[in-house]
Amino acid sequence: MRILAIETSCDETAAAVVADGRTILSNVISTQIAIHAPYGGVVPELASRHHLENVVPVLDQAMKDAGLAFSELDAVAVTQGPGLIGSLMVGVQAAKGIAFVHGKPLVPVHHIAGHIQAPFLAHGAIPFPSLALVVSGGHTHLYELPAEGVYVLRGKTRDDAAGEAFDKVAKLLGLGYPGGPVIDRLSKGANDRAHNFTVARVKDGSGDYSFSGLKTAVLYHVRREGIPPVADPANVPGDIRDLVASFQRAVVTALLRRLKIAAEDLRPRSLLLTGGVAANSLLRLEAKALADALGLPLFVPPIALSTDNAAMIGAAAFVAWRQGRRAGWDLDPDTHLPLA
Ligand code: KG4
Ligand code: ZN
């Protein structure tokens, strides 16, 4: 079952061919980081314009790398949502065009189902029930997975996503975009106990996260101390490195505190960590320590499959296909698509 998958929900134009949800035949990504970096975040209008320019070359490359003709595909899959409307639109139209012209079935995929499938794509069989922490620039969600393709939401952010908090704090300090990798790097060897930042606990039993208070705490600190934006990103002062390290520790502590409570409550047989923020080295380290303490295996995809990519969409499409999911030619993107 060879599926061509297209992902354009945010700022990566990506296409991949995945066989049987397991074997990556090609995986092409055109990133727009350099385009959005001057603005400290993704500019939706620029994103859709660049998707339009890139989608055909990226698709061609994915087919070429896979060594296949469109006629040899079994299905075309696309991220239907959530994401930026103008960005999603480009992928959905491209997928519809290819599927229609070549007479292939069209499979709609939820972006988070893609992130959740990434560890399966990387590691093969993973024991169910599982508990997945999905942390990216757009999402911070905790899902229980009783079985393949079944998603039960156990917690989500009320405001900022974890990656968004990284990006906003980096922007505030003039550290560049995306903020996560920069803060991760600057935190190495810094004093992450220099500031006692905490993340508010949502105490209504919902298991939800909230990161906007932490971002505001960093903002107030910067204002109070009159810290100017970093002049030379190649030479960041020690007190700023301590500041971002303390921020990073607070985010990681909050993410894993909820994961631990949910794991003790739901008693899964495995833990998954996925999404762009799963690239964070402290989070990886601490999640492994937590998994060991709970006696559970932890599955984290390699970074190339953690951040947005189309291979994970191809893997999730195989699951969706087996559940009988198909789209008609009237498929529309849905920025608030529910995962069900
Ligand atoms: O999954 P992704 O590529 O796109 C979304 O679906 O949002 O995630 C991008 C996010 C950005 O916010 C970026 O700052 C964050 O992932 N990120 C990291 C790291 N690498 C990427 N956050 C913390 N530490 C990292 N090493
Ligand atoms: Zn994503």
Side-chain angles (χ1 to χ4, degrees):
M1 176 83 201
R2 291 184 290 211
I3 300 180
L4 168 66
I6 303 173
E7 154 65 42
T8 63
S9 68
C10 190
D11 60 341
E12 324 281 354
T13 317
V17 181
V18 179
D20 299 330
R22 274 292 147 75
T23 312
I24 300 173
L25 302 180
S26 65
N27 190 16
V28 179
I29 302 179
S30 167
T31 177
Q32 302 181 5
I33 284 179
I35 288 153
H36 302 287
Y39 306 95
V42 177
V43 182
E45 290 79 1
L46 288 180
S48 27
R49 193 180 307 166
H50 283 86
H51 282 309
L52 259 183
E53 283 173 10
N54 295 333
V55 72
V56 171
V58 164
L59 274 163
D60 281 345
Q61 192 62 47
M63 295 305 293
K64 206 167 145 203
D65 289 356
L68 293 174
F70 285 117
S71 59
E72 293 173 284
L73 295 169
D74 296 294
V76 179
V78 64
T79 304
Q80 185 192 0
L84 301 169
I85 185 66
S87 294
L88 289 166
M89 196 98 77
V90 176
V92 167
Q93 296 304 338
K96 281 204 267 192
I98 294 168
F100 184 77
V101 167
H102 297 280
K104 305 294 175 185
L106 186 61
V107 184
V109 177
H110 191 286
H111 183 75
I112 296 180
H115 276 302
I116 290 176
Q117 211 56 34
F120 294 87
L121 182 59
H123 300 285
I126 291 175
F128 289 106
S130 189
L131 187 61
L133 177 60
V134 188
V135 270
S136 73
H139 326 280
T140 300
H141 287 79
L142 198 55
Y143 278 99
E144 183 189 6
L145 312 173
E148 183 180 76
V150 184
Y151 314 97
V152 184
L153 184 63
R154 293 295 181 184
K156 63 174 188 328
T157 182
R158 289 277 171 95
D159 37 60
D160 291 346
E164 199 177 352
F166 272 96
D167 295 338
K168 286 180 177 172
V169 165
K171 183 175 181 180
L172 181 71
L173 294 166
L175 296 173
Y177 173 83
V182 185
I183 290 179
D184 193 347
R185 182 170 46 78
L186 292 173
S187 299
K188 295 215 167 93
N191 176 14
D192 68 1
R193 308 265 160 191
H195 304 272
N196 193 23
F197 292 126
T198 50
V199 172
R201 295 183 193 211
V202 179
K203 286 188 180 154
D204 58 2
S206 64
D208 282 354
Y209 292 100
S210 168
F211 289 104
S212 76
L214 172 63
K215 175 195 65 191
T216 309
V218 176
L219 174 68
Y220 285 169
H221 175 84
V222 166
R223 282 197 188 146
R224 202 168 47 237
E225 302 291 319
I227 300 173
V230 169
D232 176 9
N235 192 9
V236 177
D239 56 340
I240 294 203
R241 295 183 50 211
D242 292 348
L243 180 65
V244 296
S246 303
F247 158 81
Q248 174 177 275
R249 181 173 58 82
V251 174
V252 169
T253 304
L255 287 173
L256 296 181
R257 185 173 59 219
R258 268 307 311 163
L259 181 65
K260 179 171 185 278
I261 293 169
E264 286 169 346
D265 181 25
L266 302 166
R267 306 208 159 267
R269 291 181 59 217
S270 58
L271 298 179
L272 312 181
L273 176 62
T274 183
V277 182
N280 186 266
S281 46
L282 182 69
L283 181 59
R284 284 177 173 240
L285 212 66
E286 296 286 321
K288 179 72 175 85
L290 172 63
D292 287 349
L294 292 167
L296 292 173
L298 169 73
F299 298 93
V300 191
I303 291 173
L305 294 177
S306 276
T307 50
D308 285 351
N309 66 89
M312 70 183 193
I313 302 301
F318 185 63
V319 174
W321 169 270
R322 290 203 291 193
Q323 290 174 328
R325 292 190 189 231
R326 310 283 184 272
W329 305 125
D330 58 350
L331 178 69
D332 275 329
D334 182 346
T335 56
H336 290 91
L337 187 69
L339 178 57

